Amino acid sequence: MHIIGRDSEDEGPVCRFGCYRARDGSDGAAVGLDVNRPHAAVVVGKRGSGKSHTLGVVAEGLTRASGVAPVVLDPMGVFGGLEAPPIAGTVHDSPSVRADALPPSAWPDLLGLDPTAPAGSLVWRLAADEDSLSAMRGAVEAADAASEVRRAAANHLALADSWDVFSPDGLDPGSLCGSAPDVLDLSGMDATPANAVARVVARGLYDARVAGSVSRIPWLLLDEAHAFAGGLAEPALQTLLTRGRAPGVGVVLATQRPSALPEVAVSQADLRVVHRLTAGPDVSAMAAADPTYFDESLRARLPRERGCALVVDDTTEAVHDVRVRPRETPDGGATPRAVPEHDRSETVE
């Protein structure tokens, strides 16, 4: 098996990924991904090209590798199949987090307030002084501020409370670092509370490794990553992309819109898994990161078949044509069909 992302002298756990794709379309030698060390990766492709399938394959492979901990942020609710044998992961429906897990400076942004304006400044102070959302709401009336400022802050904090995403018993990111995947189902949340959870989890995994409180190397897998670009979660995701390697946190961002990702996501990724792309801005976003060792243009090498991908490996400075293997667990990202696969021969004339 050839191991993508690994120096020749290195050893350790491997994620079974698929096989090489020969020029005639046939399957070649087996291919794996290195997971002995943390990597920053992006998985891109147009809708239906197989990017969510690939993310599920990576989650399954991480589960079978020793010393790592897969954590999946699932904005579309398509990774519930990872609960099934033989993977037996855990799905957390509509997870909550602690309010004080967000830095006080993030609260005005979370609520759409100007941090330099009176209401935003008050919310910032409340978040710094209190350890829960209910305590913040309770402290508004006694705050040293004009009545209209207190009222505005109270209304915005009530909005945050309506999301049901902040709880004193919210999950601890460090508790997610087991061998089987933890899937955080964010599909029932709006974009803002989903970003809050993503930020707390991403930063929490990083801080846990810096503090040495978890022994496994966490891998954060985020689908529909473009929905978090420019949002509250982006600073924590950028931390993983730029600094996660040192303490030991891997990150994989999957998206159908690579042009919407921050530039650092593509430039810092040492593994780029590129499925079928057709939109001009998205092709250009990936082509802009073409490495000097790539002897052809990305545009000329883009795969056309679903489930096939071009993998750009900066560790070994190589480019690979691969076919991603089938899932071991149910693939919730598969597109529903009016006529199931096995019934296609019975379609009406």
Side-chain angles (χ1 to χ4, degrees):
M1 177 186 289
H2 181 83
I3 313 301
I4 296 175
R6 171 170 295 181
D7 292 327
S8 57
E9 307 90 24
D10 207 356
E11 297 181 355
V14 175
C15 166
R16 187 169 64 89
F17 191 65
C19 62
Y20 279 112
R21 187 168 61 99
R23 290 191 179 274
D24 63 1
S26 61
D27 292 346
V31 174
L33 298 179
D34 171 67
V35 293
N36 191 42
R37 299 181 183 185
H39 292 274
V42 292
V43 179
V44 304
K46 64 182 291 186
R47 182 179 178 183
S49 64
K51 67 183 183 332
S52 295
H53 174 95
T54 296
L55 204 65
V57 164
V58 173
E60 291 174 350
L62 289 168
T63 302
R64 296 190 177 282
S66 60
V68 297
V71 179
V72 182
L73 294 178
D74 182 9
M76 300 298 289
V78 299
F79 291 98
L82 291 171
E83 275 191 314
I87 300 304
T90 300
V91 174
H92 304 264
D93 293 315
S94 300
S96 63
V97 295
R98 289 182 57 91
D100 58 356
L102 276 179
S105 59
W107 274 89
D109 186 26
L110 173 73
L111 298 176
L113 294 169
D114 181 349
T116 63
S121 177
L122 175 56
V123 166
W124 186 330
R125 295 202 317 267
L126 292 169
D129 293 341
E130 309 297 339
D131 62 0
S132 70
L133 180 55
S134 61
M136 291 168 65
R137 296 187 68 190
V140 170
E141 281 306 313
D144 182 14
S147 59
E148 63 272 17
V149 173
R150 295 198 305 271
R151 183 164 55 252
N155 288 341
H156 281 83
L157 291 172
L159 173 63
D161 194 32
S162 72
W163 296 331
D164 290 328
V165 76
F166 296 108
S167 167
D169 300 321
L171 60 83
D172 171 17
S175 70
L176 303 175
C177 295
S179 58
D182 281 282
V183 179
L184 277 59
D185 186 347
L186 310 180
S187 60
M189 299 181 186
D190 290 335
T192 300
N195 264 265
V197 174
R199 177 161 179 166
V200 168
V201 172
R203 184 70 201 200
L205 294 175
Y206 178 85
D207 290 343
R209 283 294 294 180
V210 170
S213 58
V214 296
S215 58
R216 292 178 176 272
I217 291 180
W219 281 68
L220 183 69
L221 281 56
L222 173 61
D223 200 12
E224 303 293 322
H226 56 272
F228 298 84
L232 190 74
E234 186 172 304
L237 296 175
Q238 290 206 19
T239 296
L240 296 189
L241 288 164
T242 58
R243 305 203 306 252
R245 188 182 187 93
V249 185
V251 59
V252 185
L253 306 181
T255 180
Q256 59 185 313
R257 293 177 52 207
S259 59
L261 293 180
E263 184 179 347
V264 68
V266 178
S267 64
Q268 292 292 322
D270 60 299
L271 288 174
R272 298 190 286 280
V273 181
V274 186
H275 290 284
R276 178 78 169 137
L277 286 172
T278 54
D282 294 327
V283 175
S284 297
M286 299 308 297
D290 274 4
T292 56
Y293 52 83
F294 199 176
D295 58 2
E296 300 179 63
S297 72
L298 175 77
R299 297 173 189 270
R301 291 278 297 273
L302 281 174
R304 297 183 178 277
E305 297 178 46
R306 187 182 189 278
C308 294
L310 195 68
V311 183
V312 182
D313 173 13
D314 272 354
T315 301
T316 61
E317 298 189 353
V319 181
H320 310 270
D321 281 295
V322 304
R323 189 187 311 278
V324 181
R325 67 167 175 82
R327 286 274 301 270
E328 299 176 69
T329 52
D331 186 354
T335 303
R337 301 179 183 272
V339 179
E341 258 331 295
H342 62 278
D343 289 341
R344 285 190 181 181
S345 61
E346 302 174 10
T347 53
V348 178
E349 293 290 337

